[in-house]
């Protein structure tokens, strides 16, 4: 994705943090990662020391999602519970403590102007 200098400054001031930004996707973004009709991609830079360490070691973006299993109403946030329920299907669990269940604030910049799609853990006032 390509962003202009003004948007870069806005994103840099808000990250890392509890925000997910919807941005226009370029042809370099794999199709399966972008919205099929809008050609956008969600980007998050978490303010979590373990996530930041993993990203620094990888040296590239990582795909992730909130872990809500079929039939569950709440996401799994405890490492021991994830291991207990999914040990048969995954290779490892990194337990970095409670991450909470409050979702991120989602800001859509795909049309140029910020649109708050979901109010969550991040303060949306800077985008209003």
């Amino acid at each position: 994705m390509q962003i202009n200098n003004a948007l870069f400054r806005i994103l840099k001031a808000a990250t890392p943090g509890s925000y997910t930004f919807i941005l226009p996707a370029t042809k370099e973004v794999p199709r399966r990662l972008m919205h099929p009709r809008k050609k956008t991609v969600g980007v998050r830079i978490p303010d979590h020391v373990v996530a930041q360490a993993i990203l620094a070691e990888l040296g590239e973006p990582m795909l992730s999602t909130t872990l809500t299993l079929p039939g569950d109403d709440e996401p799994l946030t405890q490492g021991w519970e994830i291991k207990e329920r999914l040990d048969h299907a995954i290779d490892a669990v990194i337990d970095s403590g409670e991450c909470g269940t409050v979702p991120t604030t989602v800001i859509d910049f795909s049309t140029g102007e910020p649109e708050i799609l979901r109010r969550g853990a991040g303060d949306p006032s800077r985008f209003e």
Side-chain angles (χ1 to χ4, degrees):
M1 88 204 98
Q2 291 182 320
I3 57 174
N4 62 36
N5 287 338
L7 180 54
F8 176 81
R9 285 191 294 275
I10 291 169
L11 299 180
K12 184 142 175 73
T15 58
S18 297
Y19 301 96
T20 298
F21 299 103
I22 308 300
L23 303 170
T26 65
K27 292 180 181 183
E28 294 170 0
V29 176
R31 265 190 314 215
R32 66 179 181 218
L33 300 183
M34 68 174 78
H35 189 282
R37 291 184 316 275
K38 298 180 182 180
K39 305 297 184 221
T40 57
V41 64
V43 175
R44 169 138 164 64
I45 302 171
D47 188 15
H48 190 281
V49 67
V50 174
Q52 288 182 352
I54 292 169
L55 290 167
E57 191 64 30
L58 287 173
E60 58 187 41
M62 176 173 58
L63 177 64
S64 70
T65 186
T66 300
L67 180 56
T68 305
L69 295 177
D72 288 357
D73 293 328
E74 294 291 321
L76 295 177
T77 61
Q78 298 289 337
W80 64 266
E81 184 179 14
I82 294 167
K83 181 162 177 47
E84 185 176 277
R85 292 184 62 186
L86 297 174
D87 198 34
H88 66 283
I90 58 176
D91 293 326
V93 173
I94 299 173
D95 188 346
S96 60
E98 175 67 39
C99 293
T101 58
V102 178
T104 60
T105 295
V106 178
I107 312 294
D108 186 344
F109 277 101
S110 65
T111 62
E113 292 299 316
E115 179 184 354
I116 300 168
L117 300 182
R118 177 178 72 197
R119 293 175 186 276
D123 180 7
S125 64
R126 68 173 66 196
F127 305 104
E128 296 178 307

